[in-house]
Amino acid sequence: MIKRFRGESLHKVDAKGRVSVPAAFRRVLEDGDPDFSGSSYPNFVVVYGGVRGNCLEGYTITSITKVDNLISKLPRFSRDREMLERFINTQSTYMQLDETGRIVLSPRLKEIIGIQDEAIFAGMGEKFQIWEPKKYQKEVAELDVSFKSLSENENPFLKLDQLQD
Amino acid sequence: MIKRFRGESLHKVDAKGRVSVPAAFRRVLEDGDPDFSGSSYPNFVVVYGGVRGNCLEGYTITSITKVDNLISKLPRFSRDREMLERFINTQSTYMQLDETGRIVLSPRLKEIIGIQDEAIFAGMGEKFQIWEPKKYQKEVAELDVSFKSLSENENPFLKLDQLQD
DNA sequence: TGCCATCTAATGGGATATCATGGAAATTTA
DNA sequence: TAAATTTCCATGATATCCCATTAGATGGCA
């Protein structure tokens, strides 16, 4: 059974930029790295580009590969493809967990999402996000509000049941 | 035949947040975990997000996977998908029964549903709910009232038979 | 039909392992 | 060689595991 990124948790970011990745997420990263063996530490990808810029997004090797393959289907010299490659390939970086399950966020990455000394990790199924706590709270609150304002036939939960499975 | 969650029962929550899951529910959780074997303990998912916030909802791996798969069909970066992932993946967590059939509710989870030292488990077919006892009584009472106020053609019992199966 | 043996369930307490985190040492790199 | 990284070690907090106890249900059997 494929594990997905689930749950939220708050972690300290120390002076060197080190943060613990939630233990539950490590298991998912291990599963999602084809080259991972018990004796190594899993690799994965952090994307900082894209429309948002509010948060970082972490992908397992397996799931970023899916995205890469979709992009590769676009016409080679199309503007769409260039855009996506800029966001997903250019503005991203490989990372590796260290022995204690931490990664280091460079000053650049911290600056992009406005992080000081705390970060929130949020599971999003095939990926996870890293947020500055206050921004995250705001995001969740806004989502709740906009959810409540939806009409019945805009409700994404109800739309789900219309999909064939 | 797929077992369903049925019945209600009251359980103590100890100082560590541990609660026994009703024995009948354990059987359903075992059946609903593809990785479960006699030598392990079943995994499942508890969702605490969504608009409700009054109770926790427990899903078997099989049934949450159905939901996850539907969500994965939505366009990867759509607002709908993001919303659903936030409610279903971010605001949820994997859990595993321990040797004695208990789970632990973190302080966070207890706080979300307002639980002190007792919890009510309520079977809901494909999922179950965990409630603070007083809130649960209130919910049940309210449901009775609003059911009685329905006109004949709003009666869900009567609508049932109009569905094709 | 009353008694006892056995089993499962629910719950509590203590021991143990894992996790998150800080700091120092070693290594790289500019 | 100074700065910055990475590796290694240390520690407290938390969560997990393991064992013990009790109550109730079940079933056998005289």
Side-chain angles (χ1 to χ4, degrees):
Chain A
M1 180 56 55
I2 299 163
K3 290 222 179 90
R4 295 170 69 90
F5 294 105
R6 281 190 192 279
E8 10 176 29
S9 57
L10 177 69
H11 294 268
K12 297 257 179 273
V13 181
D14 72 13
K16 300 180 196 172
R18 294 181 301 183
V19 233
S20 291
V21 172
F25 288 11
R26 294 178 207 160
R27 306 291 102 79
V28 186
L29 293 174
E30 291 167 1
D31 283 0
D33 179 359
D35 295 329
F36 173 77
S37 73
S39 61
S40 65
Y41 307 112
N43 283 98
F44 63 103
V45 170
V46 167
V47 177
Y48 52 90
V51 224
R52 25 200 78 269
N54 291 321
C55 66
L56 308 176
E57 296 199 319
Y59 289 81
T60 64
I61 299 296
T62 307
S63 70
I64 199 68
T65 302
K66 279 189 209 162
V67 178
D68 287 340
N69 289 342
L70 288 176
I71 293 176
S72 295
K73 289 206 169 93
L74 293 173
R76 195 171 294 272
F77 300 105
S78 68
R79 186 68 177 154
D80 279 355
R81 177 160 173 178
E82 181 163 286
M83 231 178 217
L84 289 172
E85 276 175 346
R86 184 72 73 213
F87 288 138
I88 303 289
N89 290 320
T90 309
Q91 299 183 343
S92 72
T93 174
Y94 283 107
M95 284 204 174
Q96 187 175 35
L97 289 186
D98 72 11
E99 189 188 2
T100 59
R102 284 183 286 196
I103 53 173
V104 351
L105 300 179
S106 65
R108 173 93 195 285
L109 288 180
K110 284 169 63 180
E111 197 241 308
I112 288 174
I113 54 173
I115 272 187
Q116 302 280 336
D117 57 359
E118 286 187 322
I120 283 190
F121 286 72
M124 293 283 281
E126 298 183 37
K127 68 188 182 193
F128 66 89
Q129 299 179 328
I130 307 177
W131 288 81
E132 191 282 321
K134 287 225 169 58
K135 278 194 190 178
Y136 180 70
Q137 284 169 20
K138 201 160 154 254
E139 166 75 8
V140 171
E142 281 174 10
L143 205 66
D144 281 346
V145 168
S146 69
F147 177 78
K148 281 183 187 129
S149 75
L150 294 178
S151 69
E152 181 138 329
N153 59 5
E154 290 172 328
N155 183 323
F157 284 96
L158 298 180
K159 280 196 250 179
L160 261 193
D161 283 324
Q162 290 153 22
L163 296 171
Q164 298 301 322
D165 54 354
Chain B
M1 177 57 62
I2 297 166
K3 290 198 187 128
R4 293 170 71 87
F5 296 105
R6 282 186 194 282
E8 344 168 57
S9 56
L10 177 68
H11 294 269
K12 297 256 180 274
V13 180
D14 73 13
K16 298 181 193 173
R18 294 181 300 185
V19 232
S20 291
V21 171
F25 288 11
R26 294 179 207 159
R27 304 292 98 79
V28 186
L29 293 174
E30 290 167 2
D31 281 2
D33 179 0
D35 294 329
F36 172 76
S37 73
S39 61
S40 66
Y41 307 112
N43 283 99
F44 63 103
V45 169
V46 167
V47 178
Y48 54 88
V51 239
R52 22 190 80 266
N54 291 322
C55 66
L56 307 177
E57 296 198 319
Y59 290 82
T60 64
I61 297 294
T62 306
S63 69
I64 201 69
T65 300
K66 280 187 206 160
V67 179
D68 286 341
N69 288 342
L70 287 177
I71 294 176
S72 292
K73 287 208 165 83
L74 296 174
R76 202 169 284 269
F77 298 101
S78 67
R79 186 68 173 160
D80 276 357
R81 177 160 173 178
E82 182 164 284
M83 222 177 229
L84 289 170
E85 273 176 352
R86 187 70 76 209
F87 289 136
I88 303 289
N89 286 312
T90 305
Q91 299 184 340
S92 76
T93 176
Y94 283 108
M95 286 205 172
Q96 187 174 35
L97 290 186
D98 71 12
E99 191 187 2
T100 60
R102 284 182 288 192
I103 53 172
V104 353
L105 301 178
S106 66
R108 173 94 196 283
L109 289 181
K110 285 169 61 181
E111 197 239 307
I112 287 175
I113 54 172
I115 271 187
Q116 302 280 336
D117 57 0
E118 285 187 324
I120 284 190
F121 285 72
M124 295 280 285
E126 296 185 38
K127 68 187 181 194
F128 66 89
Q129 298 181 330
I130 307 177
W131 288 82
E132 192 282 320
K134 287 221 171 59
K135 281 194 188 176
Y136 180 69
Q137 285 168 20
K138 200 159 157 257
E139 167 75 9
V140 171
E142 281 173 11
L143 204 67
D144 281 346
V145 169
S146 69
F147 177 74
K148 282 182 187 127
S149 74
L150 294 178
S151 67
E152 179 138 331
N153 60 4
E154 289 171 328
N155 184 323
F157 285 96
L158 300 179
K159 282 195 248 177
L160 252 195
D161 286 321
Q162 291 155 19
L163 295 171
Q164 300 297 324
D165 56 354

